[in-house]
Amino acid sequence: MKLFAALVLAAFPWQVFAAQGPLDKTIQTISKQSLKAVKAKDAAVAVLPFLSLESERSVLNKQIAENLTVEIQQSKKIKPHDSDFTFKLFDHLNLSKSTIIGPRIAQLIGRLCGTDFVLTGTIQRAGEKLRIDSKLYRTETAKVEKVTESEISANPALAELLKQPYVTVPDGPADKDPRKQAVPDFVKLMDEHSQLQNEIERNPGDASAPFL
């Protein structure tokens, strides 16, 4: 991934720097708006890679989630959370490009991650624009606490990052699964993991509550 990023920088040097400002501002806006909705102290927030119709797991999808995680966890009222585990769980779920993460799926992901909130989003390309939307779900109630919508220019560098798939992280030994330490009642939640996967297969659009 680092090599690819270097190649993109070499191919589109000024576009990368030109895009960084608007993208950073969008990430900061999503972070600030989400933090306002998280009123409790010591709350944990799981940030999922954003979904897009162009790529199921693009470098840009994950980059936005990683940057959002850094922004959010800088807040004093946010409890640190293992983002690597969140990304691994996301990879295990095999979410397709047509999957819409609605309340039920978001709630189960939050329970599996052991977090109070789940932040998810979508990236949609429309001509020369990128629309970046997000939703913050409260795990306990499965209710939407905050919605943000933004639009930035889709220059060649960002368009390329949106197409390039990121490399998934291989699993470690089963006895070192972080859920055994971080999440209570691990066995029960693994059953919910299977339930979640089955639910995604049956209803990838989570029609009970569409994202948009």
Side-chain angles (χ1 to χ4, degrees):
M1 187 183 302
K2 291 182 179 179
L3 175 60
F4 175 76
L7 292 174
V8 171
L9 180 60
F12 308 103
W14 68 269
Q15 290 97 328
V16 171
F17 288 115
Q20 195 65 38
L23 183 58
D24 283 345
K25 289 181 180 179
T26 297
I27 289 172
Q28 290 170 3
T29 297
I30 294 174
S31 174
K32 288 179 181 178
Q33 294 298 320
S34 299
L35 286 171
K36 285 182 180 179
V38 179
K39 298 178 181 180
K41 293 183 178 180
D42 294 326
V45 180
V47 183
L48 304 181
F50 283 25
L51 296 173
S52 68
L53 295 177
E54 292 198 27
S55 176
E56 296 174 10
R57 294 176 176 83
S58 78
V59 172
L60 184 60
N61 293 25
K62 189 173 182 181
Q63 177 185 324
I64 290 176
E66 289 175 337
N67 292 354
L68 268 171
T69 299
V70 172
E71 283 283 338
I72 289 174
Q73 292 197 358
Q74 286 179 348
S75 171
K76 294 181 179 179
K77 69 177 181 180
I78 295 299
K79 183 168 59 179
H81 169 66
D82 185 359
S83 59
D84 287 339
F85 169 69
T86 300
F87 293 146
K88 284 183 180 180
L89 174 61
F90 182 86
D91 291 337
H92 275 296
L93 293 176
N94 295 319
L95 301 177
S96 70
K97 290 183 288 187
S98 61
T99 301
I100 298 173
I101 300 179
R104 175 60 176 161
I105 294 176
Q107 183 179 48
L108 288 179
I109 289 177
R111 293 184 66 184
L112 285 166
C113 291
T115 59
D116 304 288
F117 296 87
V118 173
L119 180 61
T120 182
T122 59
I123 306 173
Q124 296 181 357
R125 186 175 179 181
E128 298 182 353
K129 297 290 185 179
L130 279 182
R131 180 185 174 94
I132 303 176
D133 298 335
S134 71
K135 277 190 177 182
L136 179 73
Y137 288 95
R138 184 183 294 272
T139 300
E140 183 180 4
T141 61
K143 291 184 177 180
V144 176
E145 296 293 332
K146 190 65 184 180
V147 175
T148 61
E149 300 176 350
S150 57
E151 203 172 66
I152 63 174
S153 176
N155 64 39
L158 287 181
E160 193 63 32
L161 290 175
L162 188 58
K163 296 177 183 178
Q164 177 69 19
Y166 69 78
V167 180
T168 58
V169 180
D171 291 333
D175 60 342
K176 294 185 178 181
D177 192 315
R179 286 172 292 192
K180 291 186 177 180
Q181 288 76 37
V183 182
D185 205 354
F186 177 77
V187 175
K188 180 181 179 181
L189 287 177
M190 283 307 297
D191 289 338
E192 292 198 21
H193 184 189
S194 298
Q195 178 186 351
L196 174 55
Q197 287 182 308
N198 293 334
E199 187 162 334
I200 290 173
E201 291 174 2
R202 291 195 308 268
N203 186 14
D206 199 353
S208 61
F211 188 87
L212 299 175

